[in-house]
Amino acid sequence: MADDAVAAAFAATPRADFLPDTVRDHAAHDGPLAIGHGQTNSQPRTVETMLRLLEVRPGHRVLDVGTGSGWTTALLAHLTGPGGSVVGTEIVPELVEMGRTHLARCARPWASITRADPEVPGDPGRAPYDRVLVSAGASELPEALVAQLADGGRMVIPVAGQMLVVDRRGEEVVVRREGHYRFVPLV
């Protein structure tokens, strides 16, 4: 990683601090690690790529869909700084608690993790967001998440095995593909 904001976020937010004890010794492994309930903590190289594509800036309002153990929410909070805000959503109640516990340890009170509504992707009640990160694979681009983007907003999401970068410019939505990736399914 280059000496930049994303590298600084990784340095300030060690992956090991967001893993269950059973896999913590493998934190340096550049691959996904099981965190329970059929979910994983994503491969660090993939997370780095997604954060670089997302281009989070200080002060941004960010939605983190599928926060899992809380690592991506904490990384995003480092990037937004205290002038921004990050809302992490997670559907598995046990992972919500795990993520909240991990996030509390890194003292970034401008970030929070909430239980996702299985019928409503994201958190439309707090929209719009400058950035949306989705850490689970969708079968198609969820229009409900696109609708939560602010004008000038960006979303990074794996869809049907491809990483998509979705930019909203007024009513126009521009999508570009950035390579192939595997993720647990978005539920």
Side-chain angles (χ1 to χ4, degrees), residues 30-89:
D30 190 29
L33 295 173
I35 57 172
H37 311 282
Q39 302 301 306
T40 62
N41 179 278
S42 297
Q43 177 179 12
R45 188 171 16 139
T46 300
V47 173
E48 176 191 359
T49 297
M50 293 176 80
L51 293 178
R52 290 188 186 288
L53 291 171
L54 200 58
E55 296 181 356
V56 176
R57 301 288 180 251
H60 272 163
R61 295 185 73 246
V62 182
L63 174 64
D64 183 21
V65 178
T67 189
S69 68
W71 188 42
T72 53
T73 300
L75 288 163
L76 289 163
H78 187 275
L79 292 167
T80 68
S85 65
V86 181
V87 175
T89 63

Side-chain angles (χ1 to χ4, degrees), residues 67-144:
T67 189
S69 68
W71 188 42
T72 53
T73 300
L75 288 163
L76 289 163
H78 187 275
L79 292 167
T80 68
S85 65
V86 181
V87 175
T89 63
E90 175 56 53
I91 200 153
V92 179
E94 295 85 354
L95 295 180
V96 171
E97 290 309 312
M98 177 193 296
R100 286 176 177 164
T101 298
H102 292 155
L103 188 59
R105 287 189 210 133
C106 69
R108 296 178 188 154
W110 54 95
S112 63
I113 296 173
T114 63
R115 172 106 190 268
D117 179 338
E119 302 299 317
V120 181
D123 190 346
R126 299 186 205 188
Y129 298 97
D130 300 303
R131 298 291 186 265
V132 175
L133 178 69
V134 182
S135 296
S139 57
E140 59 186 37
L141 184 61
E143 291 301 322

Side-chain angles (χ1 to χ4, degrees), residues 165-185:
V165 176
V166 180
D167 289 307
R168 166 164 259 160
R169 298 179 188 132
E171 295 303 311
E172 182 184 16
V173 176
V174 178
V175 179
R176 76 175 193 269
R177 288 163 174 68
E178 289 288 336
H180 294 276
Y181 292 85
R182 285 189 314 179
F183 279 83
V184 296

